[in-house]
Every structure is written in C-alpha cells, then in structure tokens.
Amino acid sequence: TESIKPTENSGGEFVYTSDDYGTFTMSVPALNDPTWEKDIEKSTEPTEYEEGKDVYHSDIYGDLTIVIPKLLHIHNLTHIEKIPETETSAGTKEHWHCQGCGKNYADENGTVELDDITIPASVHTHKLVHISQIPATETTKGVKEHYHCEDCGRDFLDENGETEATADSLKIGIIKNEVLSGDNAPATKLVTPKDELIASVLSPEEQAAVNEGKDINIILKVEDATLKAPSLDKTAAEGKLRELKNYKLGQYLDVELLKKIGGSESEKITKTNSPIKVMFNIPDSLLGKSEYSVIRIHNGEATVLSDLDSDPNTITIITDRFSTYALAYQDKSSGLDSDEESSDADNSEPNSDENGTSDAGNSETTSGENSTSDDSSSNESSNTINNGTGENGTPDNNGSSSDDSNPSTGSNVSIIPLAALLSGIIVIISKKRNLACHFKYNK
C-alpha cells in the first residue's frame, strides 16, 4: 500500500514497513492542521518550464514535500519557411519556432518538437580553372595564383579545391618607391631596379607581409642641409675635403630613406641590407665644373663616394647609409694657374742695354729663377691633378689621396716642364755668345 499525502483540506495516510513489526498505517491530518508548519525558504513556485514544491515539517509526522506540477505553457509560435539547400550552403526545414521557450516544432500546434532543422548542403563537384598570379603595380594590388570554380564561383589555393580563399586573402600588396626633393635640393632619382631595392630595404618578414595584402612605400627624402647640417658633420666633411686636392664644397644635403608598411608610421632606415644606387642632378649653381664627388658623413665618419656616370649634369653614387651628404666639385681653373705662370716665365727674354748688349748678370739670374719656378709649378700642377683622384680626376671610393713624390710619367706628363728646361738652355747659350762677343770687342 502506498502512502497518501495529505492535501490542504484533507488528511492522508503514511504507510510504514518494519522487519520486526511488519507494516502499519498512520493517519495524518490535513496540511491546514496546526501540526504542520510550512518551510517557506525551501518551498518553490512552479513555472512553465520547472516544477514547484511545498515543504512541510511536523514534530509528530516528520518532513513532507508536496510536488507542484509545471504551469501550462502556451507556445508563441512563429512560422519559418523552408530555405532550400545548395551545393555551397546548408538549408533550413520548414518549422514553427516558439519565441517563449525557444523550441522548434514541426506543426503549428507545437506538439511535434524538432531537434534539428538543418538540411545538409548537396554534393558539389568543382569545375576548377587555374588563375595565374597577377603582379601588383604601384597603383593596383596584385592577385595570387589560385583556382576558380566556374560553377559555384568560389576560389581555392589548391587544385583539389580543398583550401578555400577569400578575395582579401588573394591580394598582393602594392610596393612603390618615391623621391621627395625639398626646396633648394637637387632633383634625385633611385636608380636601383625595384626587385633589388626591395631586397635591400625590406626584411624577409616585411616582404612576406606584401603577400598578405599589405602595401609598402619606400621613400627617399632629400633636403638642403646647408644651414641645418650638424656642426660635427660639417667638421668631418671639411676634413675630408682637405684631402681632395683642388676640390671645393658645393652643398650639404640631408638624405633620408624611409619605409611605410600598411597604415603604420614611416620608419627611418639608416643602413640598408645592401648598397643602392642614387642619382643627383647637379644644381644649376654647380654646373660646368670639371669633376664631382659626394662626401657622406655617417656616425662621424666621412667617406668619399665617386661619381659613377659620365653625364656632366648628374652625379651617380652607390651607398648603404643615409644621413648627411655633401656635394663637392673640382673647378676647371683650379689646376691651370701654376701652368699659366710657368708659360709666362718661359716667354720672357733677357734684358738688354741701350747698345743691344745683354745684361749677363740679369739674364743669368732670370733664367735660373724661371727654370726653377717652371719645374716646381709644373710638378705641383701634375700632382694636383693625380693625387686623391681616380683615372679621370675623380676621388676613389675611399676618398684616399696618394702623395707620390715620383714625377708623373706617360700621357699625364705636362710639356710645360720640358719647355721650361729648353728655355733655360737657350738663355745660357745666348749668354755665353754675348759674353764672347763682348770680350772680343774690348780686346
């Protein structure tokens, strides 16, 4: 026999079983009897989704729990139309969705619950076409090599159509380079081919970022630094300039190399992975000189960079460091002054008295001085042209000068020393003849 729980207005029976005393039944009063005390804290109200309970306690009959059924739930159903499946996406079954409990039902009365409303996508066999890589330009992004399905329109990285790619993941970033020349700065050009420039300026990680669609801009910035060049840089440049015979300072430049990756701030590059080639147009104020060079001052060290082209209007150098630069030139007239003086001295004649007699003493002195002066001037002029310069009078890459005390030979030997020597011999012979005539006449 099962126990009968009391209700609010009617009593019940508790059935007890004991191995020693057997089974017996005890009548219990209704729940409204003072014997029972309701435990408010343990009791709960039912909802549409959970049962409730009333908990009572009696010193005579013990504890009693009365389960309260769930409240009746009235579904708020919304009809959902079927969404057909495709080869590329799953579909959805027709159903009714309850806004209250969130469950889905196959019928409008909410009696047949649906655990899954998904219709799987149908099987699709891709018809793939290979698309070759389209390189990026300086204005448009490139496209990676991929495979395109002509039926479903999707793109894949592999020929089996297993790794799908989006339009963004197929983009190749733009790499462009530009030169910015400030006021009073010479027009400048990056001569290095783009592939070599990229390898010189960008790290492997940065080059990989381009394949992820990021744009990169390489910027060469050249500004006139005549007034703002650091004093230590000027001191280093002037020291190096003194090693270059007959060279003068033309203009200081601030040369910066920058890179900008994606939307980040521009980053200054002080040293590249390998040298790059830069060409400066010679400023109008410096045109017409005989030779040009560039002095680079980096971390206090001055280095002479030779002009690599034969164009009289440009200077082309290779460099891997960017800081303060100085344009230097050799004036056309700088190596000719001594030669002209020697030529004037050679053309002078010995002094004669009113009777046409040579002044032997003056002639001897004059010829000796002229001969000595010519040899010295000529040698100095020859050394000026060759010392510290290359084959064409341009300083070498190290800016070093050579003070060879041996006289120049070959095609670089000036004819001026030979003319001076011959002039001296002629004067001496003339002197001896005049003296002989003088002694004969007196005798």
Side-chain angles (χ1 to χ4, degrees):
T1 304
E2 294 184 357
S3 295
I4 301 173
K5 293 183 179 181
T7 65
E8 186 70 20
N9 298 310
S10 61
E13 294 180 345
F14 286 170
V15 178
Y16 295 95
T17 301
S18 171
D19 293 337
D20 295 332
Y21 303 104
T23 300
F24 67 93
T25 301
M26 177 185 292
S27 297
V28 294
L31 295 175
N32 58 10
D33 187 272
T35 306
W36 296 104
E37 181 180 358
K38 186 175 181 180
D39 190 334
I40 302 299
E41 292 183 357
K42 293 182 179 180
S43 299
T44 59
E45 295 294 329
T47 67
E48 292 182 353
Y49 312 107
E50 293 185 359
E51 296 176 334
K53 63 182 179 179
D54 285 336
V55 179
Y56 293 88
H57 175 73
S58 171
D59 292 339
I60 299 174
Y61 306 110
D63 294 329
L64 175 64
T65 298
I66 305 296
V67 176
I68 305 173
K70 297 178 183 179
L71 298 178
L72 178 63
H73 172 66
I74 300 175
H75 293 299
N76 182 13
L77 297 175
T78 301
H79 179 244
I80 306 298
E81 294 284 353
K82 177 182 178 180
I83 301 175
E85 76 281 10
T86 68
E87 293 179 345
T88 58
S89 61
T92 304
K93 298 176 183 177
E94 179 189 23
H95 64 281
W96 281 259
H97 179 75
C98 178
Q99 302 292 337
C101 65
K103 295 181 179 180
N104 297 308
Y105 297 89
D107 63 307
E108 60 183 349
N109 297 319
T111 57
V112 181
E113 187 175 349
L114 294 174
D115 294 330
D116 187 7
I117 59 173
T118 302
I119 304 175
S122 57
V123 177
H124 171 68
T125 301
H126 295 298
K127 185 179 179 181
L128 298 176
V129 177
H130 176 254
I131 306 297
S132 299
Q133 176 176 304
I134 302 174
T137 68
E138 291 197 356
T139 56
T140 59
K141 289 182 178 289
V143 180
K144 297 177 186 176
E145 177 188 27
H146 63 282
Y147 297 84
H148 179 77
C149 179
E150 292 183 331
D151 290 338
C152 66
R154 289 188 292 171
D155 296 312
F156 300 88
L157 294 178
D158 63 301
E159 60 183 352
N160 297 321
E162 296 176 352
T163 307
E164 188 171 357
T166 63
D168 286 340
S169 68
L170 290 176
K171 289 180 180 178
I172 300 174
I174 297 171
I175 298 182
K176 66 178 181 178
N177 60 276
E178 58 181 324
V179 178
L180 304 177
S181 296
D183 295 339
N184 300 322
T188 308
K189 182 179 180 181
L190 278 170
V191 186
T192 301
K194 191 170 183 178
D195 290 345
E196 295 180 20
L197 181 64
I198 291 171
S200 297
V201 175
L202 303 180
S203 67
E205 293 76 16
E206 291 167 341
Q207 295 180 49
V210 175
N211 288 329
E212 297 173 3
K214 290 186 178 180
D215 297 338
I216 296 182
N217 192 11
I218 301 172
I219 306 167
L220 182 67
K221 188 176 180 181
V222 182
E223 293 184 343
D224 178 26
T226 302
L227 298 179
K228 67 177 184 178
S231 58
L232 291 178
D233 288 354
K234 288 185 176 181
T235 300
E238 290 165 1
K240 179 60 68 175
L241 195 63
R242 284 192 291 270
E243 298 178 14
L244 307 178
K245 301 294 181 62
N246 295 333
Y247 270 78
K248 297 180 181 180
L249 178 66
Q251 182 182 16
Y252 283 107
L253 299 175
D254 182 19
V255 182
E256 287 186 336
L257 189 64
L258 309 169
K259 61 183 174 184
K260 186 174 183 180
I261 302 175
S264 62
E265 294 293 327
S266 297
E267 178 184 347
K268 183 183 293 188
I269 304 169
T270 57
K271 188 177 186 302
T272 55
N273 303 326
S274 57
I276 63 175
K277 187 178 290 187
V278 180
M279 184 178 72
F280 301 100
N281 279 9
I282 298 173
D284 292 342
S285 60
L286 302 181
L287 285 173
K289 311 302 180 183
S290 58
E291 300 292 345
Y292 299 91
S293 288
V294 173
I295 301 175
R296 181 187 66 204
I297 308 93
H298 189 81
N299 293 335
E301 180 181 354
T303 305
V304 177
L305 306 177
S306 299
D307 183 7
L308 301 179
D309 68 35
S310 57
D311 189 336
N313 299 317
T314 62
I315 305 174
T316 301
I317 60 169
I318 57 172
T319 183
D320 60 354
R321 292 170 175 81
F322 300 88
S323 47
T324 302
Y325 281 59
L327 301 182
Y329 66 91
Q330 186 182 55
D331 202 336
K332 284 184 176 179
S333 61
S334 62
L336 300 178
D337 295 341
S338 297
D339 294 346
E340 290 173 355
E341 291 175 3
S342 298
S343 178
D344 291 341
D346 294 340
N347 293 330
S348 64
E349 297 180 358
N351 295 329
S352 301
D353 57 19
E354 295 179 358
N355 298 321
T357 304
S358 299
D359 186 342
N362 290 338
S363 297
E364 182 177 1
T365 302
T366 302
S367 64
E369 290 177 352
N370 288 341
S371 178
T372 303
S373 174
D374 291 339
D375 290 343
S376 176
S377 299
S378 177
N379 287 334
E380 182 179 351
S381 175
S382 178
N383 287 337
T384 297
I385 293 173
N386 291 298
N387 285 347
T389 63
E391 195 172 284
N392 297 320
T394 304
D396 58 25
N397 287 330
N398 296 321
S400 62
S401 61
S402 150
D403 294 330
D404 188 358
S405 59
N406 295 326
S408 301
T409 60
S411 60
N412 287 332
V413 175
S414 173
I415 64 172
I416 295 176
L418 297 178
L421 179 59
L422 291 174
S423 175
I425 293 173
I426 293 171
V427 170
I428 293 171
I429 293 173
S430 176
K431 168 189 166 185
K432 290 181 179 180
R433 286 181 177 176
N434 289 338
L435 286 175
C437 293
H438 177 72
F439 291 138
K440 182 178 182 181
Y441 176 80
N442 287 337
K443 182 177 180 183

